[in-house]
Amino acid sequence: MSTEKAETIPLAAGRRHRTACFASELTWGRIVATYSLDVCEEGAFMNVRVAVALFAMSCGSAHAGFDQWTYEKTSDPFSGGEKVEVDYSTSMRSGIFITCDTAGNGLDVRAIAGWEYDPALKAMKPAGKFAFDGEVLFGAEGVTGAFGPNIAGVQFDLAAKDAAAFSAAMKSARSQIAVQDGISNKPHLLTARGSTKAGDELLKCLSTQRKDEAAAASADEGDTTAVTAGINMAVFLGYLVALEKKCPEYRIRPELTEFKGVDPAILETAALHLAGETVDAQAEIANISCESVAAKIVETSGLSSDELWSMQ
């Protein structure tokens, strides 16, 4: 990975952008990336999502458990491990989603609030809490993001010790599991129906995760790099989409929707941040000419206009 410093795009005061760094890290100019952009018939981007349904970040699922805990186990060809995905859907737009990967470390717990994402949430550091049968187990700081069709949510990354305590408490819960996501005015109040089997599967997954400290440290470093690259990708794509919405003649070239080769972890992070970055970019370029915005994108990405857009 390149250690090149990110540049500042002076489209609006006070906001830093990382598209130049992303271009260098992922050899953007040489087309090494994987993501999908949906284009409407009129040519404006009406919906943007990472390939393969945001890599399981969409709220909807054929296996989703409504008012009960369900789980699904799948082999992950990218991590080389087995994933256990646990979910509890309170509606088509809200619920709790938990992921454990035997090739990873700890758990990812996502609380989907059910209402539309607001860019103001980006600056928040939500303080979450987890309670089982009326007893608070522990609290955790989360990260806000937009999930699926721009639904607000929070992701909590639980390290091995907390992940094990969480899973054990889920397995032994008798009546209620509650999650306070830190952004909603009410907690997620869930029944314990199905939690015994789901918690047991999470514990089995955690028990087979890597124990070697050096391997874990290396994985943590890789996760940090993937998060940075994913945010860079989201910022870059956010400006491209915002420009096309403002100026339909700047239609992103179809080739930019078919590239392969990026770590799925990068794509997952990009999906989490893309909706918010697009909204932010739209606000920033609202009073700037199309030509000026396009010139800045070309300048910071290292790509030519012909490589970026099919002019209408």
PDB file of all heavy atoms in Angstrom, residues 224-246:
ATOM      1  N   THR A 224      -7.517  -2.082   9.657  1.00  0.00           N
ATOM      2  CA  THR A 224      -7.392  -0.632   9.663  1.00  0.00           C
ATOM      3  C   THR A 224      -7.126  -0.103   8.260  1.00  0.00           C
ATOM      4  O   THR A 224      -7.701   0.893   7.825  1.00  0.00           O
ATOM      5  CB  THR A 224      -6.239  -0.200  10.601  1.00  0.00           C
ATOM      6  OG1 THR A 224      -6.523  -0.656  11.925  1.00  0.00           O
ATOM      7  CG2 THR A 224      -6.096   1.313  10.608  1.00  0.00           C
ATOM      8  N   THR A 225      -6.244  -0.790   7.528  1.00  0.00           N
ATOM      9  CA  THR A 225      -5.938  -0.387   6.160  1.00  0.00           C
ATOM     10  C   THR A 225      -7.175  -0.494   5.273  1.00  0.00           C
ATOM     11  O   THR A 225      -7.453   0.389   4.454  1.00  0.00           O
ATOM     12  CB  THR A 225      -4.814  -1.276   5.582  1.00  0.00           C
ATOM     13  OG1 THR A 225      -3.663  -1.152   6.410  1.00  0.00           O
ATOM     14  CG2 THR A 225      -4.465  -0.842   4.164  1.00  0.00           C
ATOM     15  N   ALA A 226      -7.946  -1.569   5.441  1.00  0.00           N
ATOM     16  CA  ALA A 226      -9.147  -1.762   4.644  1.00  0.00           C
ATOM     17  C   ALA A 226     -10.185  -0.685   4.929  1.00  0.00           C
ATOM     18  O   ALA A 226     -10.851  -0.196   4.016  1.00  0.00           O
ATOM     19  CB  ALA A 226      -9.739  -3.152   4.916  1.00  0.00           C
ATOM     20  N   VAL A 227     -10.308  -0.304   6.187  1.00  0.00           N
ATOM     21  CA  VAL A 227     -11.263   0.750   6.545  1.00  0.00           C
ATOM     22  C   VAL A 227     -10.876   2.062   5.871  1.00  0.00           C
ATOM     23  O   VAL A 227     -11.713   2.759   5.295  1.00  0.00           O
ATOM     24  CB  VAL A 227     -11.323   0.935   8.080  1.00  0.00           C
ATOM     25  CG1 VAL A 227     -12.071   2.209   8.429  1.00  0.00           C
ATOM     26  CG2 VAL A 227     -12.015  -0.256   8.718  1.00  0.00           C
ATOM     27  N   THR A 228      -9.584   2.409   5.934  1.00  0.00           N
ATOM     28  CA  THR A 228      -9.113   3.649   5.315  1.00  0.00           C
ATOM     29  C   THR A 228      -9.370   3.641   3.809  1.00  0.00           C
ATOM     30  O   THR A 228      -9.889   4.608   3.246  1.00  0.00           O
ATOM     31  CB  THR A 228      -7.612   3.840   5.571  1.00  0.00           C
ATOM     32  OG1 THR A 228      -7.377   3.909   6.979  1.00  0.00           O
ATOM     33  CG2 THR A 228      -7.109   5.131   4.922  1.00  0.00           C
ATOM     34  N   ALA A 229      -9.015   2.526   3.155  1.00  0.00           N
ATOM     35  CA  ALA A 229      -9.208   2.430   1.712  1.00  0.00           C
ATOM     36  C   ALA A 229     -10.691   2.450   1.354  1.00  0.00           C
ATOM     37  O   ALA A 229     -11.096   3.040   0.345  1.00  0.00           O
ATOM     38  CB  ALA A 229      -8.557   1.158   1.178  1.00  0.00           C
ATOM     39  N   GLY A 230     -11.524   1.818   2.188  1.00  0.00           N
ATOM     40  CA  GLY A 230     -12.952   1.805   1.928  1.00  0.00           C
ATOM     41  C   GLY A 230     -13.568   3.193   2.028  1.00  0.00           C
ATOM     42  O   GLY A 230     -14.424   3.571   1.218  1.00  0.00           O
ATOM     43  N   ILE A 231     -13.134   3.959   3.023  1.00  0.00           N
ATOM     44  CA  ILE A 231     -13.619   5.333   3.165  1.00  0.00           C
ATOM     45  C   ILE A 231     -13.166   6.164   1.974  1.00  0.00           C
ATOM     46  O   ILE A 231     -13.926   6.971   1.427  1.00  0.00           O
ATOM     47  CB  ILE A 231     -13.123   5.951   4.478  1.00  0.00           C
ATOM     48  CG1 ILE A 231     -13.780   5.245   5.673  1.00  0.00           C
ATOM     49  CG2 ILE A 231     -13.428   7.455   4.526  1.00  0.00           C
ATOM     50  CD1 ILE A 231     -13.259   5.683   7.008  1.00  0.00           C
ATOM     51  N   ASN A 232     -11.927   5.960   1.549  1.00  0.00           N
ATOM     52  CA  ASN A 232     -11.423   6.679   0.378  1.00  0.00           C
ATOM     53  C   ASN A 232     -12.285   6.390  -0.856  1.00  0.00           C
ATOM     54  O   ASN A 232     -12.620   7.284  -1.639  1.00  0.00           O
ATOM     55  CB  ASN A 232      -9.975   6.262   0.090  1.00  0.00           C
ATOM     56  CG  ASN A 232      -9.011   6.734   1.155  1.00  0.00           C
ATOM     57  OD1 ASN A 232      -9.331   7.622   1.939  1.00  0.00           O
ATOM     58  ND2 ASN A 232      -7.846   6.136   1.210  1.00  0.00           N
ATOM     59  N   MET A 233     -12.628   5.115  -1.018  1.00  0.00           N
ATOM     60  CA  MET A 233     -13.457   4.731  -2.156  1.00  0.00           C
ATOM     61  C   MET A 233     -14.831   5.404  -2.073  1.00  0.00           C
ATOM     62  O   MET A 233     -15.355   5.916  -3.072  1.00  0.00           O
ATOM     63  CB  MET A 233     -13.632   3.213  -2.199  1.00  0.00           C
ATOM     64  CG  MET A 233     -14.636   2.729  -3.248  1.00  0.00           C
ATOM     65  SD  MET A 233     -14.848   0.926  -3.247  1.00  0.00           S
ATOM     66  CE  MET A 233     -13.636   0.472  -4.488  1.00  0.00           C
ATOM     67  N   ALA A 234     -15.410   5.417  -0.882  1.00  0.00           N
ATOM     68  CA  ALA A 234     -16.730   6.025  -0.705  1.00  0.00           C
ATOM     69  C   ALA A 234     -16.700   7.521  -1.015  1.00  0.00           C
ATOM     70  O   ALA A 234     -17.619   8.051  -1.642  1.00  0.00           O
ATOM     71  CB  ALA A 234     -17.220   5.792   0.723  1.00  0.00           C
ATOM     72  N   VAL A 235     -15.651   8.214  -0.577  1.00  0.00           N
ATOM     73  CA  VAL A 235     -15.527   9.646  -0.847  1.00  0.00           C
ATOM     74  C   VAL A 235     -15.434   9.892  -2.349  1.00  0.00           C
ATOM     75  O   VAL A 235     -16.121  10.752  -2.903  1.00  0.00           O
ATOM     76  CB  VAL A 235     -14.289  10.234  -0.141  1.00  0.00           C
ATOM     77  CG1 VAL A 235     -14.050  11.682  -0.576  1.00  0.00           C
ATOM     78  CG2 VAL A 235     -14.465  10.182   1.372  1.00  0.00           C
ATOM     79  N   PHE A 236     -14.588   9.121  -3.018  1.00  0.00           N
ATOM     80  CA  PHE A 236     -14.393   9.285  -4.455  1.00  0.00           C
ATOM     81  C   PHE A 236     -15.688   9.022  -5.222  1.00  0.00           C
ATOM     82  O   PHE A 236     -16.121   9.826  -6.053  1.00  0.00           O
ATOM     83  CB  PHE A 236     -13.291   8.337  -4.928  1.00  0.00           C
ATOM     84  CG  PHE A 236     -12.997   8.431  -6.403  1.00  0.00           C
ATOM     85  CD1 PHE A 236     -12.482   9.600  -6.946  1.00  0.00           C
ATOM     86  CD2 PHE A 236     -13.227   7.362  -7.238  1.00  0.00           C
ATOM     87  CE1 PHE A 236     -12.214   9.696  -8.308  1.00  0.00           C
ATOM     88  CE2 PHE A 236     -12.961   7.439  -8.592  1.00  0.00           C
ATOM     89  CZ  PHE A 236     -12.448   8.612  -9.127  1.00  0.00           C
ATOM     90  N   LEU A 237     -16.330   7.891  -4.919  1.00  0.00           N
ATOM     91  CA  LEU A 237     -17.577   7.563  -5.601  1.00  0.00           C
ATOM     92  C   LEU A 237     -18.669   8.561  -5.255  1.00  0.00           C
ATOM     93  O   LEU A 237     -19.515   8.887  -6.094  1.00  0.00           O
ATOM     94  CB  LEU A 237     -18.027   6.150  -5.213  1.00  0.00           C
ATOM     95  CG  LEU A 237     -17.144   5.002  -5.692  1.00  0.00           C
ATOM     96  CD1 LEU A 237     -17.683   3.676  -5.176  1.00  0.00           C
ATOM     97  CD2 LEU A 237     -17.057   4.978  -7.202  1.00  0.00           C
ATOM     98  N   GLY A 238     -18.654   9.060  -4.024  1.00  0.00           N
ATOM     99  CA  GLY A 238     -19.650  10.046  -3.617  1.00  0.00           C
ATOM    100  C   GLY A 238     -19.614  11.282  -4.489  1.00  0.00           C
ATOM    101  O   GLY A 238     -20.661  11.814  -4.887  1.00  0.00           O
ATOM    102  N   TYR A 239     -18.413  11.758  -4.820  1.00  0.00           N
ATOM    103  CA  TYR A 239     -18.290  12.928  -5.679  1.00  0.00           C
ATOM    104  C   TYR A 239     -18.722  12.620  -7.110  1.00  0.00           C
ATOM    105  O   TYR A 239     -19.368  13.442  -7.777  1.00  0.00           O
ATOM    106  CB  TYR A 239     -16.860  13.464  -5.669  1.00  0.00           C
ATOM    107  CG  TYR A 239     -16.640  14.442  -4.541  1.00  0.00           C
ATOM    108  CD1 TYR A 239     -15.948  14.066  -3.412  1.00  0.00           C
ATOM    109  CD2 TYR A 239     -17.176  15.724  -4.599  1.00  0.00           C
ATOM    110  CE1 TYR A 239     -15.780  14.940  -2.355  1.00  0.00           C
ATOM    111  CE2 TYR A 239     -17.010  16.612  -3.564  1.00  0.00           C
ATOM    112  CZ  TYR A 239     -16.307  16.218  -2.442  1.00  0.00           C
ATOM    113  OH  TYR A 239     -16.158  17.093  -1.399  1.00  0.00           O
ATOM    114  N   LEU A 240     -18.376  11.431  -7.608  1.00  0.00           N
ATOM    115  CA  LEU A 240     -18.778  11.073  -8.963  1.00  0.00           C
ATOM    116  C   LEU A 240     -20.306  11.020  -9.079  1.00  0.00           C
ATOM    117  O   LEU A 240     -20.892  11.530 -10.039  1.00  0.00           O
ATOM    118  CB  LEU A 240     -18.182   9.715  -9.343  1.00  0.00           C
ATOM    119  CG  LEU A 240     -16.678   9.667  -9.626  1.00  0.00           C
ATOM    120  CD1 LEU A 240     -16.253   8.240  -9.911  1.00  0.00           C
ATOM    121  CD2 LEU A 240     -16.307  10.566 -10.792  1.00  0.00           C
ATOM    122  N   VAL A 241     -20.943  10.391  -8.107  1.00  0.00           N
ATOM    123  CA  VAL A 241     -22.402  10.268  -8.138  1.00  0.00           C
ATOM    124  C   VAL A 241     -23.057  11.636  -7.966  1.00  0.00           C
ATOM    125  O   VAL A 241     -24.022  11.973  -8.656  1.00  0.00           O
ATOM    126  CB  VAL A 241     -22.878   9.299  -7.044  1.00  0.00           C
ATOM    127  CG1 VAL A 241     -24.408   9.267  -6.982  1.00  0.00           C
ATOM    128  CG2 VAL A 241     -22.332   7.900  -7.305  1.00  0.00           C
ATOM    129  N   ALA A 242     -22.530  12.445  -7.048  1.00  0.00           N
ATOM    130  CA  ALA A 242     -23.096  13.775  -6.809  1.00  0.00           C
ATOM    131  C   ALA A 242     -22.998  14.643  -8.058  1.00  0.00           C
ATOM    132  O   ALA A 242     -23.936  15.376  -8.399  1.00  0.00           O
ATOM    133  CB  ALA A 242     -22.369  14.444  -5.645  1.00  0.00           C
ATOM    134  N   LEU A 243     -21.874  14.528  -8.762  1.00  0.00           N
ATOM    135  CA  LEU A 243     -21.708  15.322  -9.982  1.00  0.00           C
ATOM    136  C   LEU A 243     -22.711  14.887 -11.042  1.00  0.00           C
ATOM    137  O   LEU A 243     -23.317  15.720 -11.724  1.00  0.00           O
ATOM    138  CB  LEU A 243     -20.277  15.186 -10.517  1.00  0.00           C
ATOM    139  CG  LEU A 243     -20.004  15.909 -11.841  1.00  0.00           C
ATOM    140  CD1 LEU A 243     -20.261  17.408 -11.719  1.00  0.00           C
ATOM    141  CD2 LEU A 243     -18.572  15.644 -12.315  1.00  0.00           C
ATOM    142  N   GLU A 244     -22.908  13.577 -11.201  1.00  0.00           N
ATOM    143  CA  GLU A 244     -23.847  13.126 -12.232  1.00  0.00           C
ATOM    144  C   GLU A 244     -25.276  13.513 -11.889  1.00  0.00           C
ATOM    145  O   GLU A 244     -26.077  13.826 -12.781  1.00  0.00           O
ATOM    146  CB  GLU A 244     -23.752  11.622 -12.438  1.00  0.00           C
ATOM    147  CG  GLU A 244     -24.721  11.134 -13.500  1.00  0.00           C
ATOM    148  CD  GLU A 244     -24.363   9.788 -14.077  1.00  0.00           C
ATOM    149  OE1 GLU A 244     -23.173   9.562 -14.324  1.00  0.00           O
ATOM    150  OE2 GLU A 244     -25.268   8.980 -14.267  1.00  0.00           O
ATOM    151  N   LYS A 245     -25.630  13.489 -10.624  1.00  0.00           N
ATOM    152  CA  LYS A 245     -26.974  13.916 -10.237  1.00  0.00           C
ATOM    153  C   LYS A 245     -27.180  15.398 -10.536  1.00  0.00           C
ATOM    154  O   LYS A 245     -28.255  15.818 -10.954  1.00  0.00           O
ATOM    155  CB  LYS A 245     -27.208  13.639  -8.752  1.00  0.00           C
ATOM    156  CG  LYS A 245     -27.438  12.169  -8.425  1.00  0.00           C
ATOM    157  CD  LYS A 245     -27.787  11.990  -6.963  1.00  0.00           C
ATOM    158  CE  LYS A 245     -28.145  10.548  -6.660  1.00  0.00           C
ATOM    159  NZ  LYS A 245     -28.541  10.359  -5.241  1.00  0.00           N
ATOM    160  N   LYS A 246     -26.144  16.192 -10.316  1.00  0.00           N
ATOM    161  CA  LYS A 246     -26.229  17.633 -10.557  1.00  0.00           C
ATOM    162  C   LYS A 246     -26.140  17.940 -12.041  1.00  0.00           C
ATOM    163  O   LYS A 246     -26.852  18.814 -12.551  1.00  0.00           O
ATOM    164  CB  LYS A 246     -25.086  18.334  -9.808  1.00  0.00           C
ATOM    165  CG  LYS A 246     -24.951  19.838 -10.063  1.00  0.00           C
ATOM    166  CD  LYS A 246     -23.741  20.383  -9.312  1.00  0.00           C
ATOM    167  CE  LYS A 246     -23.443  21.840  -9.663  1.00  0.00           C
ATOM    168  NZ  LYS A 246     -24.489  22.746  -9.134  1.00  0.00           N
TER     169      LYS A 246
END
